[in-house]
Amino acid sequence: MMPSKVILVLIDGLAWQVAHDGMGYLQGLCEAGRASLHCLDSALPSLSRPLYECILTGATPVESGIVNNGVARLSTQQSVFHLARDAGLVTAAAAYHWISELYNRTPYLAVRDRFTDDASLPIRHGVFYHDDSYPDEHLLLDAEMLRRRHDPDFLFIHPMNVDDAGHRHGYDSPQYRNAARRIDTQLATYLDVWMELGYQVIVTSDHGMNNDKTHGGVLPEERQVPLFALGDRFRHDGAAAPLQTQICGIVADLLGLRHGKANNREILAC
Ligand SMILES: [Zn+2]
């Protein structure tokens, strides 16, 4: 099978049920047989930085040592960014600055790192932000600029407004649900173009949210997250859900990379 280009969208703090109920465009793609929706349990603890590492390297927080949001050091794992760069592929990310800290440089210095173009780094082209209220709409424009300008093989996109709304208003709030609806609407502008161009797209989340306006434990609303798989390399006929630790290996397989990551051929059509 020819390698595919991949876009991985990590919507921070998006709980499964809210995604399922509120993301009408993505659900419409599922109804049309062009996408499929899976329910995943996040690894633990259900915290952001540990789960960025889990999704991008396949290692659980217990394995990686990125055990809470305060562990601000470079990852010691091979991430999909490393694997892709080492194979000569072009990598890019529009993401929260912790992603730059995990895979490019620590600490994050905004004047140096906010806009990154450096072929020696695992994330070759980056636009990083450091304010949780940085508008998702602007972040998606940053990502689309990176895609058009650099034609990356692997593009990672990481909007924060859903998580931010959850921390301000809690899981069971109109503001949290509406933030999920908004990013669904905003993504709709791009997804069709990306799929038309042959990208395989995964839209998922690190963790959910609870009614105490936090997350970290094993409550269903803080642990269950969606994974929408879009594109013709995925099966859309009811394959079993992958594990969060398999996302890295699935992306690596789609990119045609050699790797030793846990993967899941079940959700791939070819
Ligand atoms: Zn959060």
Side-chain angles (χ1 to χ4, degrees):
M1 187 65 202
M2 287 281 288
S4 301
K5 295 190 176 203
V6 178
I7 296 175
L8 174 58
V9 183
L10 194 173
I11 300 172
D12 207 285
L14 175 62
W16 151 259
Q17 195 65 53
V18 169
H20 173 276
D21 295 350
M23 301 186 88
Y25 180 69
L26 282 164
Q27 286 281 29
L29 288 175
C30 293
E31 279 195 6
R34 299 176 62 193
S36 42
L37 171 58
H38 302 280
C39 179
L40 276 56
D41 275 342
S42 79
L44 294 171
S46 50
L47 292 171
S48 290
R49 197 188 302 242
L51 296 176
Y52 305 161
E53 173 82 336
C54 178
I55 289 167
L56 290 162
T57 73
T60 66
V62 168
E63 292 163 349
S64 71
I66 308 293
V67 293
N68 61 46
N69 289 334
V71 183
R73 61 161 169 79
L74 279 175
S75 169
T76 57
Q77 310 289 312
Q78 282 281 104
S79 72
V80 66
F81 295 116
H82 292 89
L83 294 170
R85 178 204 53 183
D86 293 350
L89 302 185
V90 176
T91 59
Y96 197 57
H97 66 296
W98 291 354
I99 298 296
S100 179
E101 290 190 331
L102 278 167
Y103 307 111
N104 273 4
R105 289 186 283 233
T106 308
Y108 169 81
L109 302 177
V111 291
R112 180 192 63 185
D113 299 325
R114 177 159 152 70
F115 301 104
T116 294
D117 287 289
D118 186 336
S120 72
L121 292 172
I123 305 170
R124 179 167 175 169
H125 304 290
V127 177
F128 300 102
Y129 63 97
H130 45 275
D131 184 324
D132 290 17
S133 62
Y134 187 69
D136 286 354
E137 189 201 0
H138 295 196
L139 187 272
L140 290 173
L141 286 166
D142 295 341
E144 182 65 358
M145 177 277 291
L146 290 169
R147 193 191 66 75
R148 291 178 182 217
R149 190 172 290 178
H150 303 294
D151 192 23
D153 299 284
F154 176 57
L155 173 61
F156 178 70
I157 305 177
H158 177 207
M160 188 60 75
N161 292 169
V162 172
D163 185 72
D164 193 44
H167 285 299
R168 290 173 197 268
H169 304 285
Y171 171 73
D172 189 11
S173 70
Q175 292 89 344
Y176 179 65
R177 288 187 288 270
N178 283 332
R181 294 175 179 123
R182 250 190 325 270
I183 187 72
D184 175 72
T185 300
Q186 290 164 353
L187 277 172
T189 307
Y190 300 101
L191 287 171
D192 221 36
V193 176
W194 297 342
M195 291 170 75
E196 194 70 32
L197 291 168
Y199 286 91
Q200 306 302 308
V201 183
I202 293 174
V203 179
T204 189
S205 185
D206 44 357
H207 54 74
M209 185 62 59
N210 61 36
N211 270 331
D212 300 331
K213 305 179 182 176
T214 59
H215 47 83
V218 300
L219 290 171
E221 59 268 32
E222 54 189 341
R223 188 170 193 191
Q224 291 178 353
V225 294
L227 186 147
F228 292 92
L230 291 69
D232 54 12
R233 295 282 307 274
F234 292 103
R235 277 178 56 191
H236 301 307
D237 58 354
L243 302 173
Q244 194 172 42
T245 49
Q246 295 170 335
I247 295 173
C248 175
I250 292 166
V251 171
D253 282 342
L254 290 167
L255 289 166
L257 299 171
R258 295 167 66 92
H259 66 92
K261 302 291 182 183
N263 58 3
N264 184 321
R265 298 284 184 155
E266 278 290 294
I267 74 160
L268 299 183
C270 52

